[in-house]
Amino acid sequence: MSDTLTLDVIGRRVEVNGEHATVRFAGVVPPVAGPWLGVEWDNPERGKHDGSHEGTVYFKCRHPTGGSFIRPKKVNFGIDFLTAVKNRYVLEDELQEDGKEQTVTIGNKPVETIGFDSIMKQQSQLSKLQEVSLRNCAVSCAGEKGGVAEACPNIRNVDLSKNLLSSWDEVMRIADQLRHLEVLNLSENKLKFPSGSAPLTGTFSALKVLVLNRTGITWAEVLRCAAGCPGLEELYLESNQIFISERPTDVLQTIKLLDLSSNQLIDENQLFLIAHLPRLEQLILSDIGISSIHFPDAGIGCKTSMFPSLQYLVVNDNQISQWSFFNELDKLPSLRALSCLRNPLTKDDKDTQTTRQLIIAKIGQLKTLNKCEILPEERWGAELDYRRAFGNEWKKAGGHQDLDKNRLSEEFLAAHPRYQFLCLKYGAPEDGELKRQPLMLKNQLLTLKIKYPHQLDQKVLEKQLPGSMTIQKVKGLLSRLLKVPVSDLLLSYESPEKPGREIELENDLKSLQFYSVENGDCLLVRW
């Protein structure tokens, strides 16, 4: 840009030597002559001051070292959308080859042209584009009206993250020309969103996915922008310091996935404001600092009316330290998958397999935990272990072999809301069972019988193996013992608690404990 400031540049997004900033001031800064731009850097460590010079405040910054004065000629104000598309997707080599003089007939008159074929090829290339990635391409505006619609009308997926777009209005000018647009990523653009109460409508009629991570958007602005996206299914709002201030009423009703990760101002009371979105299936709440949740409309053993369609919940990197959190999740009627990594209760330095078993036992309808499928055998083992692990506590709290005579304390029921159901499913724990310490309480050595169904002449062995031992290592041990190649061995096991049922140990990377192998069980070895 030249050193003369003729445009209204305040609020514009700019790039200087690879760093992004927002123009906060344009004018003279005495005693140095000539025009200056005062910018606030996205990275405050890049600046030198807070917008003041020799006692005069020219503009304000959020950070004391977030500002700088720069000559206009050193600032890049960006390029328009269509220019960026051409720079990225038009094959320059082909255009140069076609840039030779040609003669074509228009009507009855021969006309000499240069690069006629190159223009046709360029138009053909652009019109076929459906997915466009313009991340960090310095896009700042829509450009000439109608130019985008004419050149590339079939675009459906656009990545405009980390550009120089400064306002939602400019985004709308681009989107208005892309009538088939389904996916739009605007992350890392510091956008000025529209104010006022009038809703926005009609601009994103086909849009299904909108990504607004690190854009500085507020919840009120989210609701206003969502009014222009009647068919929106996925909305990503990571790292925006969002505070959910009101309940969506006429907007976000088609949302299936909502990502609110890294918005540390959100608490469980705010989540209740989005709890009645009718189609919400996936909710991502990683790194929001949440430690508890409670559904006040549902008592022990009942389902909540909140989040009626929620199937997948992500609560990684939070402050969950109480088992009551998972008791509450069992109240969600449609929950099938959960990810809860890196919480105080589930940190890697704890017994991860025991933690996994407890969560499975506490949430009855769960099918996937931390992206790992819960097999029927794993659920069976986890629930039996849970039932036995807390059996003595159950008895002290008023539990009885005859379930009709149970008089359980409120305290026990609150801590173990599924225990009664597990007693109905598997029977009340007997005294003999309670003397056996379950795997979830101690990673003990397992005393196992080893049989060979196809080699009846082989003697039945008894071995002690650690519950953490993988199937692969068990096969290695048996291979050395039997002089049989590891690849030929097939393992399964039987439990006296479930006679007649044989469970295959088919995944070599899983442990005996994963398959709920216990003391007294029998390994069956075939080759």
Side-chain angles (χ1 to χ4, degrees):
M1 185 176 181
S2 69
D3 276 342
T4 57
L5 298 176
T6 58
L7 299 175
D8 182 11
V9 296
I10 305 301
R12 290 278 299 275
R13 295 283 292 161
V14 296
E15 182 265 333
V16 183
N17 297 326
E19 296 276 358
H20 288 190
T22 303
V23 178
R24 301 296 186 197
F25 167 82
V28 179
V29 183
V32 184
W36 291 91
L37 293 177
V39 301
E40 181 179 9
W41 299 100
D42 291 0
N43 175 13
E45 295 181 2
R46 173 67 175 78
K48 298 179 178 179
H49 51 73
D50 63 353
S52 303
H53 180 66
E54 295 186 354
T56 301
V57 178
Y58 292 91
F59 63 98
K60 293 183 178 180
C61 293
R62 287 168 293 182
H63 194 277
T65 61
S68 293
F69 291 108
I70 298 177
R71 291 297 191 185
K73 65 181 180 181
K74 294 184 177 180
V75 173
N76 176 15
F77 278 85
I79 58 178
D80 65 79
F81 180 87
L82 188 54
T83 298
V85 172
K86 290 178 179 179
N87 289 346
R88 187 74 184 269
Y89 291 96
V90 173
L91 302 178
E92 296 294 340
D93 292 342
E94 286 189 16
L95 300 187
Q96 290 174 6
E97 288 177 9
D98 289 331
K100 55 190 177 183
E101 183 177 309
Q102 302 172 56
T103 301
V104 298
T105 301
I106 300 177
N108 296 320
K109 185 177 180 181
V111 177
E112 291 184 352
T113 68
I114 296 178
F116 188 84
D117 283 350
S118 72
I119 295 173
M120 297 297 291
K121 279 190 176 183
Q122 175 180 323
Q123 291 176 341
S124 176
Q125 281 179 302
L126 296 180
S127 66
K128 292 178 182 177
L129 286 175
Q130 293 192 14
E131 294 190 15
V132 172
S133 177
L134 299 177
R135 176 174 172 81
N136 205 15
C137 288
V139 177
S140 61
C141 61
E144 184 180 349
K145 186 176 181 180
V148 176
E150 182 179 352
C152 39
N154 294 309
I155 291 177
R156 285 167 166 74
N157 185 327
V158 177
D159 182 355
L160 279 170
S161 59
K162 204 172 183 180
N163 276 285
L164 301 179
L165 295 163
S166 57
S167 73
W168 184 255
D169 289 340
E170 203 60 48
V171 172
M172 292 172 68
R173 280 190 273 274
I174 296 172
D176 269 336
Q177 303 181 63
L178 301 174
R179 308 311 298 176
H180 303 292
L181 187 62
E182 296 179 356
V183 180
L184 178 59
N185 186 349
L186 296 168
S187 297
E188 299 177 79
N189 285 283
K190 302 296 183 183
L191 297 170
K192 180 181 179 182
F193 292 91
S195 57
S197 57
L200 307 173
T201 57
T203 301
F204 301 99
S205 57
L207 196 67
K208 294 181 180 178
V209 179
L210 179 58
V211 187
L212 295 170
N213 299 335
R214 295 175 292 282
T215 58
I217 195 169
T218 67
W219 184 248
E221 292 166 344
V222 168
L223 299 185
R224 292 204 67 240
C225 294
C229 310
L232 195 63
E233 295 181 358
E234 298 182 14
L235 179 59
Y236 298 83
L237 299 170
E238 179 183 338
S239 302
N240 282 305
Q241 294 187 318
I242 281 177
F243 181 95
I244 302 176
S245 54
E246 57 183 298
R247 179 176 174 175
T249 51
D250 299 323
V251 296
L252 301 182
Q253 300 304 297
T254 57
I255 280 290
K256 294 181 179 180
L257 183 153
L258 180 59
D259 185 354
L260 294 168
S261 298
S262 301
N263 287 287
Q264 296 283 336
L265 300 178
I266 293 177
D267 59 28
E268 66 170 300
N269 292 323
Q270 293 175 50
L271 294 179
F272 295 154
L273 294 174
I274 60 170
H276 296 284
L277 292 173
R279 299 185 186 179
L280 184 61
E281 297 176 357
Q282 300 183 52
L283 181 59
I284 305 174
L285 299 175
S286 295
D287 187 34
I288 67 170
I290 194 170
S291 60
S292 64
I293 195 166
H294 176 61
F295 301 110
D297 65 326
I300 294 172
C302 299
K303 299 298 183 184
T304 178
S305 62
M306 300 183 188
F307 299 103
S309 301
L310 187 62
Q311 298 178 24
Y312 182 33
L313 176 64
V314 180
V315 287
N316 299 331
D317 302 295
N318 279 293
Q319 301 300 317
I320 302 166
S321 60
Q322 301 295 324
W323 287 110
S324 58
F325 187 94
F326 299 98
N327 292 341
E328 289 296 309
L329 294 187
D330 188 53
K331 296 178 179 180
L332 292 168
S334 303
L335 188 65
R336 297 294 180 269
L338 173 67
S339 184
C340 54
L341 300 170
R342 298 178 297 278
N343 280 276
L345 203 60
T346 60
K347 281 284 177 67
D348 292 339
D349 57 353
K350 291 179 177 287
D351 187 341
T352 54
Q353 186 61 31
T354 295
T355 301
R356 178 177 172 87
Q357 282 186 291
L358 285 167
I359 294 173
I360 291 171
K362 283 181 171 290
I363 307 177
Q365 68 273 27
L366 214 56
K367 301 294 184 184
T368 303
L369 178 57
N370 296 330
K371 296 187 177 181
C372 183
E373 182 184 2
I374 300 169
L375 300 174
E377 290 80 7
E378 186 180 13
R379 174 162 292 284
W380 171 68
E383 291 181 341
L384 281 176
D385 262 2
Y386 185 89
R387 167 180 157 275
R388 188 161 56 248
F390 298 98
N392 286 321
E393 191 176 330
W394 167 77
K395 286 184 67 176
K396 292 177 182 177
H400 196 279
Q401 291 291 327
D402 184 349
L403 297 182
D404 291 333
K405 296 181 180 179
N406 272 338
R407 299 294 183 269
L408 290 171
S409 67
E410 289 295 325
E411 183 181 2
F412 181 86
L413 289 172
H416 307 282
R418 290 196 75 230
Y419 199 91
Q420 285 287 80
F421 171 79
L422 296 181
C423 287
L424 290 171
K425 184 176 181 179
Y426 300 107
E430 298 178 358
D431 291 342
E433 287 183 89
L434 302 183
K435 293 178 183 178
R436 295 173 59 194
Q437 196 174 38
L439 288 177
M440 65 168 56
L441 295 184
K442 182 180 179 182
N443 187 19
Q444 56 186 348
L445 288 174
L446 307 175
T447 302
L448 305 174
K449 293 180 180 179
I450 302 176
K451 294 182 181 180
Y452 316 94
H454 294 168
Q455 279 75 31
L456 299 178
D457 57 328
Q458 290 276 3
K459 183 180 178 181
V460 176
L461 294 179
E462 192 171 275
K463 285 280 185 182
Q464 283 193 325
L465 303 175
S468 58
M469 193 172 191
T470 64
I471 305 306
Q472 188 175 46
K473 290 183 178 179
V474 174
K475 284 183 177 180
L477 175 67
L478 291 170
S479 173
R480 294 190 294 273
L481 186 68
L482 300 169
K483 311 300 182 187
V484 176
V486 170
S487 58
D488 291 346
L489 294 176
L490 298 174
L491 299 188
S492 59
Y493 83 97
E494 291 179 332
S495 171
E497 293 189 6
K498 209 154 188 179
R501 181 173 183 180
E502 186 175 332
I503 299 169
E504 292 185 15
L505 305 176
E506 55 189 2
N507 190 333
D508 286 355
L509 301 180
K510 298 297 184 181
S511 65
L512 292 170
Q513 191 170 341
F514 174 85
Y515 285 105
S516 301
V517 178
E518 298 184 349
N519 266 328
D521 289 348
C522 181
L523 284 182
L524 304 175
V525 186
R526 296 179 174 89
W527 65 90

